[in-house]
Amino acid sequence: MKSALLLFGFVLVCVQVVAQSASNSATLRRYFGLHFDFHAVKSDSLIGRNLSEKSLDSLLTAVKPDFIQVDCKGHPGVSSYPSKVTTATVAPHIVNDPLAFYRSVTRRHGVDLYLHYSGVFDEAVLAKHPGWAAQKANGTIDASKTSVHGPYVDSLLIPQLNELADYGADGVWVDGECWATVLDYSPTALAKFRAETGIQTIPRSDKDAGYDAFKAFSRRSFVQYIDHYVDAVHRHRPSFRVASNWAYSSMMPEPVQTNVDFLSGDLTPSNSVNSAALEGRIMAAQGQLYHKPWDLMSWGFWYEFNPTKKQGDQKSAVHLMQEAAEIISLGGGFQTYYQQNRDASISLRDLPVMVEVSRFVRARQPFCAGSMAIPQVAVLYANTTVNAFNQPLFGNGQTQRINGVLTALLDAQFPVEVLSEQHLQGRMKQYPVIVVSQQDSLNPAFRQELLDYARQGGHLLLIGAKTTRLFAAELGVAPMTTKPGGPKRVQYNGQSVVLTGPFQSVRITGKDTKAVDQFLGSKTDNPTAGVIATETAYGQGKLTAVYADLSQDYQKHQSARLRDFIASLARPLLPKPVVEVSGSHLVHVVLNRQSNKLAINLINTGGRHADPQVFTYDEVPPLTNLTIRLRTAKKPKRIMQQPENKALPVRYAGGIATVTVPQLDIHSVLVVE
């Protein structure tokens, strides 16, 4: 593989792309913002009564956001402004027009105004027009999900978005979209399916022939729906910016084929530090490839959707800063969600937290905005596997099957990207290591490209019972019948780790394949027969395989031994990393090129953010005396710790520059000059 120094050459070529991305972000003014919504219902009778210019002036002056997003129509389908669209359901008692108020005050402050609008998900319109609904396989209508093939998009959604643009709003954040879209058995949908595919017998379940084709058709139909309304609104008002919540994200990681203006999504309210690390990497890859600005939203409070829809405490500033750090370190924008009052006003009770988070993000903006990752380790997130695994049309269930491995790699201080097929095709050679973890359904041509990459000197780390079966011939192993059993204990480097996930028994058949680690007997602690991992010489490269699913174990337990086990397999595949960080396993490392300079982001991930019993926390102990080793052709002129503006003493020998970071609070960027 190419040396770390050659990687620098690659990122220099990409400076123009970074500049374009940064320019798009600057034009869009969505680096830091606040989101408010309340999903109006018909019984809301005080909308607009308590709107206060003085209160909003205080918030905007103190927080200084680029934008705010406020409610205009939520999932109940009730418009919280006096819409003149005849098909709209408007709250019956609007005292004052909230949108006119928010547009007037935000314009005076130079703050952009975006609107929260529920798209596919609309209960009120379906109560009035049940024929606009998606139909279920049994012929009944869905009471909350509209059909992307029906009149809804042209009769309500587009007219209302045009109306919002005429208010002078800067854009819209369309919620309830891909994740709310369902299989549609309406007559119009079925007629289109038959005409497009030639399949005449409609599949009603995953046991029926043609079911995958019906799901693929339904996904394409949703993309066409987005394409239709985005272009229609742009024709009406070209400057009006549109995003479909979670489009082209982990739920829908396909190539961007519509004219959405930016990418965005809202994180799960719990364990958001780790989910931000995953979702941010997927968004960053999409944004960089398709030149789309992107941001992610953290909920400002803890919330549990299932089974009780239970709300917990408001998150502390420290908690939100960690989530923000994971996002802005990847070059994205950050926003926080606070609940809007049912009269459409905004409370100031969380203002101190908003101000602290704003200062934190703004201080790092000069060192993070427009960043581009330097290739080191890529974790594959394959579209084909997402589509095969997801039960709904669009969902993030597949993230649970890679998130643990990603977090383990990050906790072992590897700089990692999460990439889909379109990001890797034709550029695999730029990555010394590609991790294929629980990617059970791969396009044959893409699978072959992965093998060609390894043959030409690349390193594949294959993880998972089903995934390794896909590569059994190349790994030089023969899959065997796996006997059912409980947790398995594995020995590596004199240590042991417990694995509880699915496991694939194999027998080594290839002369270039060797076993890496062994099982331990449950009673004797002596090595027993069986192969847990192998290394296979493959052309000029190497295939390393683990015949067990590891992600769920690490996501659930975050075992230090499992982290070290995964790292022990990955580290030999990256013998000359651009950057190495030691001194704590609580630091995540993001390696970027930003403004033509190398930027090493260090994020302190201490705190109980992954504990489902903890709503929030207000203290993260600082990390001290971190050692950073940087491979570079010559000694840097200086290395600055930002935003602390602290010059770090540099020791240089043998092509490696070494610095010590005396203290890392939450997030620092080492800027190499």
Side-chain angles (χ1 to χ4, degrees):
M1 293 304 293
K2 292 182 168 50
S3 69
L5 298 180
L6 290 180
L7 289 174
F8 285 176
F10 162 73
V11 294
L12 285 172
V13 172
C14 296
V15 169
Q16 183 177 356
V17 176
V18 176
Q20 181 176 354
S21 178
S23 174
N24 287 346
S25 297
T27 302
L28 208 64
R29 285 165 38 90
R30 283 188 64 90
Y31 193 76
F32 176 70
L34 303 172
H35 174 99
F36 306 93
D37 68 51
F38 66 101
H39 294 263
V41 296
K42 291 181 180 179
S43 59
D44 287 322
S45 60
L46 301 175
I47 292 175
R49 175 172 294 183
N50 296 313
L51 297 175
S52 164
E53 288 194 21
K54 180 179 179 180
S55 177
L56 187 56
D57 280 336
S58 298
L59 185 148
L60 298 178
T61 300
V63 181
K64 298 179 175 63
D66 292 319
F67 67 94
I68 64 171
Q69 291 176 178
V70 298
D71 190 84
C72 72
K73 178 170 81 80
H75 302 330
V78 176
S79 298
S80 56
Y81 72 101
S83 176
K84 294 180 173 59
V85 176
T86 57
T87 52
T89 300
V90 180
H93 304 291
I94 297 179
V95 181
N96 291 302
D97 185 346
L99 300 196
F101 165 78
Y102 282 110
R103 178 65 287 184
S104 174
V105 179
T106 54
R107 182 179 284 123
R108 191 166 65 244
H109 283 264
V111 172
D112 286 352
L113 177 66
Y114 286 77
L115 302 171
H116 169 261
Y117 184 98
S118 185
V120 168
F121 198 142
D122 188 315
E123 296 172 342
V125 77
L126 297 183
K128 293 196 298 186
H129 302 282
W132 296 6
Q135 287 191 19
K136 300 178 183 179
N138 62 8
T140 61
I141 66 167
D142 193 305
S144 60
K145 311 304 191 310
T146 61
S147 169
V148 299
H149 301 281
Y152 168 76
V153 64
D154 289 306
S155 299
L156 179 59
L157 187 142
I158 291 174
Q160 280 204 304
L161 295 190
N162 289 343
E163 183 178 56
L164 299 178
D166 291 342
Y167 264 89
D170 295 281
V172 64
W173 194 83
V174 186
D175 197 4
E177 284 273 272
C178 66
W179 58 265
T181 302
V182 296
L183 288 172
D184 182 10
Y185 290 86
S186 66
T188 303
L190 298 186
K192 289 182 179 179
F193 172 68
R194 290 188 174 103
E196 184 175 315
T197 66
I199 298 173
Q200 299 304 307
T201 302
I202 301 299
R204 302 282 172 174
S205 76
D206 57 6
K207 298 179 177 60
D208 295 337
Y211 190 71
D212 287 343
F214 188 52
K215 290 182 71 175
F217 160 80
S218 300
R219 286 190 289 267
R220 289 194 302 274
S221 298
F222 174 73
V223 173
Q224 292 163 2
Y225 151 87
I226 295 180
D227 190 52
H228 174 59
Y229 80 71
V230 169
D231 285 354
V233 174
H234 283 158
R235 285 192 296 271
H236 177 79
R237 184 82 58 171
S239 61
F240 193 69
R241 309 295 172 78
V242 183
S244 174
N245 181 25
W246 283 124
Y248 308 111
S249 68
S250 66
M251 297 187 186
M252 184 182 159
E254 61 193 60
V256 179
Q257 298 175 330
T258 62
N259 293 317
V260 292
D261 295 287
F262 61 101
L263 310 179
S264 189
D266 54 323
L267 300 170
T268 54
S270 59
N271 195 15
S272 297
V273 173
N274 287 334
S275 63
L278 170 62
E279 301 290 356
R281 282 166 170 78
I282 295 171
M283 285 284 201
Q286 294 281 63
Q288 289 170 8
L289 182 60
Y290 298 103
H291 312 309
K292 298 289 186 183
W294 64 276
D295 61 72
L296 283 171
M297 177 199 302
S298 284
W299 286 41
F301 51 95
W302 188 95
Y303 190 88
E304 183 180 73
F305 286 99
N306 294 313
T308 57
K309 292 190 176 182
K310 179 173 61 178
Q311 183 170 334
D313 296 338
Q314 297 293 122
K315 291 180 181 177
S316 69
V318 168
H319 192 163
L320 290 169
M321 287 174 189
Q322 283 186 303
E323 297 176 14
E326 292 283 359
I327 295 164
I328 63 175
S329 67
L330 299 164
F334 179 74
Q335 56 174 312
T336 309
Y337 165 37
Y338 299 95
Q339 289 175 304
Q340 197 170 349
N341 294 329
R342 301 218 66 81
D343 60 9
S345 66
I346 296 173
S347 170
L348 297 182
R349 66 176 177 272
D350 295 309
L351 185 59
V353 171
M354 296 178 191
V355 171
E356 281 192 72
V357 174
S358 174
R359 290 172 179 165
F360 176 88
V361 172
R362 292 301 193 196
R364 288 152 180 81
Q365 184 172 355
F367 315 107
C368 295
S371 295
M372 174 176 281
I374 293 175
Q376 289 285 269
V377 178
V379 170
L380 175 63
Y381 188 68
N383 282 283
T384 50
T385 300
V386 171
N387 290 339
F389 179 81
N390 278 342
Q391 292 303 312
L393 288 177
F394 303 100
N396 59 5
Q398 175 65 10
T399 63
Q400 307 307 312
R401 305 173 77 226
I402 71 163
N403 203 6
V405 167
L406 170 65
T407 304
L409 290 168
L410 294 175
D411 289 351
Q413 289 64 66
F414 286 96
V416 185
E417 296 173 67
V418 178
L419 306 176
S420 296
E421 295 93 330
Q422 66 268 25
H423 311 117
L424 283 169
Q425 286 170 331
R427 58 184 295 256
M428 290 185 187
K429 290 182 180 180
Q430 296 165 9
Y431 292 88
V433 183
I434 297 177
V435 180
V436 183
S437 175
Q438 291 180 243
Q439 302 297 297
D440 307 337
S441 178
L442 297 177
N443 178 280
F446 183 75
R447 174 188 176 278
Q448 186 58 52
E449 189 173 350
L450 287 169
L451 291 169
D452 292 343
Y453 151 85
R455 186 180 292 108
Q456 296 165 14
H459 299 112
L460 285 179
L461 176 54
L462 307 167
I463 301 174
K466 291 183 179 179
T467 298
T468 50
R469 284 205 297 271
L470 296 178
F471 293 88
E474 293 81 7
L475 289 169
V477 299
M480 302 164 57
T481 302
T482 302
K483 297 179 181 179
K488 295 175 173 59
R489 298 178 65 209
V490 177
Q491 175 179 279
Y492 76 100
N493 294 338
Q495 301 292 323
S496 67
V497 61
V498 175
L499 304 180
T500 64
F503 170 76
Q504 174 61 57
S505 297
V506 298
R507 174 174 53 86
I508 294 177
T509 59
K511 60 182 178 59
D512 295 322
T513 301
K514 65 175 183 178
V516 177
D517 295 302
Q518 297 175 292
F519 290 112
L520 292 176
S522 59
K523 296 181 179 179
T524 63
D525 272 357
N526 293 321
T528 61
V531 177
I532 181 62
T534 59
E535 290 179 353
T536 304
Y538 193 76
Q540 299 175 16
K542 182 185 293 185
L543 307 178
T544 301
V546 184
Y547 301 94
D549 294 358
L550 304 180
S551 193
Q552 186 174 0
D553 275 341
Y554 194 78
Q555 188 170 7
K556 185 175 182 180
H557 303 294
Q558 294 191 317
S559 160
R561 289 189 174 184
L562 181 52
R563 175 201 65 210
D564 292 345
F565 173 60
I566 294 171
S568 72
L569 297 171
R571 208 169 299 285
L573 308 180
L574 190 65
K576 293 183 179 180
V578 174
V579 64
E580 297 173 274
V581 177
S582 59
S584 173
H585 284 298
L586 294 177
V587 59
H588 284 183
V589 181
V590 180
L591 182 63
N592 289 334
R593 178 66 61 176
Q594 198 265 354
S595 298
N596 202 26
K597 295 178 182 178
L598 185 69
I600 305 167
N601 289 259
L602 305 173
I603 304 168
N604 180 351
T605 65
R608 298 176 66 187
H609 51 83
D611 189 335
Q613 303 303 316
V614 174
F615 291 159
T616 191
Y617 47 90
D618 60 2
E619 183 177 359
V620 174
L623 305 178
T624 58
N625 297 321
L626 300 175
T627 300
I628 287 80
R629 289 162 45 90
L630 174 67
R631 280 180 170 78
T632 181
K634 59 182 180 180
K635 182 177 180 179
K637 294 179 181 179
R638 63 175 183 170
I639 297 179
M640 298 292 296
Q641 182 179 358
Q642 299 289 7
E644 295 85 353
N645 197 33
K646 180 186 297 182
L648 302 177
V650 180
R651 305 181 299 279
Y652 187 77
I656 295 178
T658 303
V659 296
T660 298
V661 175
Q663 181 166 311
L664 175 64
D665 293 323
I666 299 294
H667 175 210
S668 289
V669 185
L670 305 190
V671 179
V672 182
E673 302 176 358

